[in-house]
Amino acid sequence: MTLSREPALDVAKVLSESLPYIQRFAGKTIVIKYGGNAMTDEKLQAGFARDIVLMKAVGIHPIVVHGGGPQIGDMLSKLNIESKFINGMRVTDTATMDVVEMILGGQVNKEIVNLICEAGGKAIGITGKDSHFIKAKKLFVKHQSEDMDTPEQVDIGHVGEVSHIDTSILKQLEHSDFIPVIAPIGVDDQGNAYNINADLVAGKVAEAVGAEKLMLLTNISGVQDKSGNVLTGLSTAQVDALIADGTIYGGMLPKISCALSAVNAGVTSAIIIDGRVPHATLLEIFTDKGVGTLISNANKV
């Protein structure tokens, strides 16, 4: 019986074609915001963990920042704590913040660490409270109802924004075998904890460590034009124009703003990736056929 070599040859071809990308990104840091379906589908979870371990194995330094909004909502419901939102932001009182810390810093963070370890890697879970490496300040939300002439600033509790990233702990991990997995919880100078948007934390971490790439996993195919076509290879100026003409709006604006901020601060490129696609992170890094929208500063590439 003659055995076909075609499957093995296909694998060899893929590995060979990935070599230039491995050489390009070896020694570089890539920050990945992990969320959406990739966090809840078991096959996608396992695939993501293997992708991260592979990146580390070929000399890339991945940093994972995760969300956990649905898991927080589920636990609050079980505890009969009402979830309130203003302009899409969760109102976070002290009781809610206790749940946020338990779910993000405990359950979700440790699940991701375990997935990476099961895939053969080494991971260590941290929150911004560890060594106070994510300094935060209270975030006030602007809200305006129909009967108001001007918007008001609303205090929504323990919700923050990043004021500073201390990169020392991340630099130490970069030169080890460990992959950092970060829960987006920050702390102020008085020790108060704050829940911070995971996209925002990922962007600020990418800026602080001088990452080569910022990757934001989502549940959509990428930024689309008004005809529904996915746009990619965008410069920061083109993104600004798409925001101005209303092509980019609503829920996509925070992610785009995060990506723009990172690129303008020196990150070479930011990519909004369809996390529903198996091995989306590898497709984006090691092939020319990405699965999302890439944004870069055209003057830097």
Side-chain angles (χ1 to χ4, degrees), residues 45-159:
Q45 288 175 342
F48 174 81
R50 287 177 64 87
D51 293 353
I52 296 299
V53 173
L54 177 58
M55 289 167 61
K56 189 70 172 179
V58 298
I60 298 170
H61 305 302
I63 296 175
V64 178
V65 179
H66 66 82
Q71 293 91 332
I72 292 169
D74 288 345
M75 181 57 70
L76 289 172
S77 178
K78 290 177 182 178
L79 296 173
N80 293 318
I81 299 175
E82 183 181 1
S83 291
K84 298 180 181 178
F85 293 86
I86 296 178
N87 292 358
M89 303 289 288
R90 187 188 300 276
V91 177
T92 307
D93 59 14
T94 300
T96 301
M97 189 63 211
D98 289 342
V99 173
V100 168
E101 290 200 68
M102 177 177 66
I103 296 299
L104 290 183
Q107 176 187 322
V108 175
N109 189 272
K110 302 314 173 191
E111 286 175 354
I112 299 168
V113 168
N114 189 51
L115 282 168
I116 292 172
C117 292
E118 286 182 345
K122 294 181 178 180
I124 185 165
I126 53 177
T127 80
K129 293 180 74 173
D130 293 311
S131 192
H132 286 198
F133 90 94
I134 300 178
K135 283 295 183 67
K137 60 182 179 180
K138 181 184 285 289
L139 175 67
F140 290 91
V141 173
K142 287 186 177 181
H143 174 68
Q144 184 172 7
S145 58
E146 294 181 357
D147 58 346
M148 296 171 59
D149 295 328
T150 58
E152 63 176 347
Q153 280 197 331
V154 181
D155 183 349
I156 55 174
H158 294 266
V159 178

Side-chain angles (χ1 to χ4, degrees), residues 50-52 54-55 215 279-287:
R50 287 177 64 87
D51 293 353
I52 296 299
L54 177 58
M55 289 167 61
M215 306 174 76
H279 304 293
T281 52
L282 292 190
L283 286 171
E284 186 57 53
I285 296 173
F286 296 134
T287 75

